[in-house]
Amino acid sequence: MAFLTRARALSYLASLTLLLLTQGSWADQHNAGFTIPDSKVLRLESKQLNRSYDIYIKLPPSYFDEGNQRRKYPVVYLNDGLYAFQLAAGVTHSAMINNAMEHHILVGISYSPIDRPFDSRRRDYTPKTAVNDKGEAASYLNFLRRELFPLVEERYRINSLRRAYAGYSLGGLFGLYTMLEHSDSFRYYLISSPSLWFDNRWILETEKQLAKETKDINAELFLGIGAFERPARANENYRKPTPINMVNDFNQLYRQLEQRNYPSLRLTKLEVSGAHHELVFPTVLTQGLYWLFPGEKYQK
């Protein structure tokens, strides 16, 4: 009887130890946080700008397949990386696995860690103008072209002719600035809720001047806006109308570009009903990426 009691005690202790180890292992995994699969973070010290940026990389599900070792992929660069990268990683994962969207690489660009996010984006995403002497969009674009693109394209199998840019708000303004001033930086532009109000609609006047000097823009441009990104009308009751009529500015930009009849500019727009400025980007990003990179499942 004593032997049975001792055996049961040892069995109990073994079971308890296994339970504690299992719980400890689960707790370690739980406390480690969530990691986006096939992603990593690089710290890029910019010699051009004399500051650093965290760069987030996510590879598509097919990247490591044995038959794809020579395959080169489109790449999407996203400003406001802390927000946009996580969002893009989520909305593209299932779509790419199911071939509803062409497989592509995501590159998120975070803010400079020595600055507050607003200060970093205000400086980097806006051009220097008469009323904005702290804008460094030209230098920031130079950093992308001369430092970030070579770094990413050296490490990963990227088709450099199929670069895309995705930007929102001030990041959308930067994308339009890039398309008008250096359209060869990217082949595709996904622009959501661009801050066209900046410096008395500076970008609209810039486009008009460019139209006098050029006959073509070689790009594919997806533009998106929320229907509530404007002041409320008398018969409307929604929570947060914007004092600026971003929808009117947006439509003005679209009309200007459409009327140019640029031979190589593929252009479309999306207005998201019921969406405010803070809520529209997920829908525009999802629809824009699908428009730019439709998968075999839905190609005609």
Side-chain angles (χ1 to χ4, degrees), residues 32-208:
F34 179 78
T35 301
I36 297 173
D38 297 325
S39 69
K40 68 183 304 180
V41 181
L42 307 175
R43 173 62 63 88
L44 176 52
E45 301 286 345
S46 172
K47 296 178 181 178
Q48 302 275 332
L49 302 175
N50 196 30
R51 52 182 177 265
S52 65
Y53 292 84
D54 282 340
I55 308 300
Y56 313 133
I57 312 288
K58 183 181 184 301
L59 302 176
S62 65
Y63 190 86
F64 298 104
D65 290 353
E66 186 175 345
N68 288 332
Q69 295 309 300
R70 295 187 177 182
R71 178 178 175 181
K72 292 190 175 182
Y73 290 83
V75 58
V76 180
Y77 290 87
L78 304 110
N79 266 340
D80 291 305
L82 283 173
Y83 166 52
F85 179 78
Q86 298 178 75
L87 181 61
V91 302
T92 60
H93 184 72
S94 177
M96 287 196 282
I97 286 178
N98 292 289
N99 291 319
M101 191 178 290
E102 183 181 358
H103 288 215
H104 55 270
I105 294 171
L106 297 173
V107 179
I109 311 163
S110 191
Y111 313 117
S112 168
I114 63 174
D115 302 302
R116 294 185 305 169
F118 178 80
D119 294 334
S120 180
R121 66 198 307 268
R122 178 84 183 194
R123 175 196 61 222
D124 292 342
Y125 302 169
T126 63
K128 186 175 183 178
T129 66
V131 300
N132 185 54
D133 60 354
K134 295 182 179 180
E136 296 184 14
S139 298
Y140 182 74
L141 178 57
N142 200 37
F143 152 70
L144 298 184
R145 291 166 62 97
R146 295 191 177 185
E147 295 185 278
L148 181 57
F149 293 171
L151 172 71
V152 175
E153 291 170 13
E154 179 183 356
R155 295 195 179 199
Y156 302 101
R157 300 193 309 274
I158 286 174
N159 183 346
S160 61
L161 299 178
R162 301 193 66 200
R163 289 193 206 111
Y165 172 85
Y168 156 74
S169 196
L170 284 176
L173 176 72
F174 175 79
L176 291 172
Y177 163 80
T178 300
M179 189 188 77
L180 296 176
E181 296 288 344
H182 297 281
S183 64
D184 62 329
S185 301
F186 301 93
R187 179 71 183 89
Y188 316 98
Y189 293 84
L190 196 166
I191 305 299
S192 178
S193 307
S195 299
L196 302 176
W197 48 264
F198 169 79
D199 192 1
N200 196 30
R201 298 170 177 81
W202 175 88
I203 202 75
L204 295 177
E205 294 305 314
T206 298
E207 191 282 326
K208 290 178 182 177

Side-chain angles (χ1 to χ4, degrees), residues 176 194 196 204 207 221-225 246-262 265-270 291:
L176 291 172
L196 302 176
L204 295 177
E207 191 282 326
L221 172 61
F222 186 97
L223 290 165
I225 194 76
M246 295 181 68
V247 176
N248 273 4
D249 292 345
F250 176 90
N251 288 327
Q252 176 62 36
L253 172 68
Y254 186 84
R255 283 193 299 269
Q256 286 182 202
L257 291 171
E258 190 177 41
Q259 290 169 3
R260 308 301 180 209
N261 292 317
Y262 293 123
L265 179 64
R266 181 180 173 225
L267 176 67
T268 193
K269 68 174 180 176
L270 171 70
W291 183 78

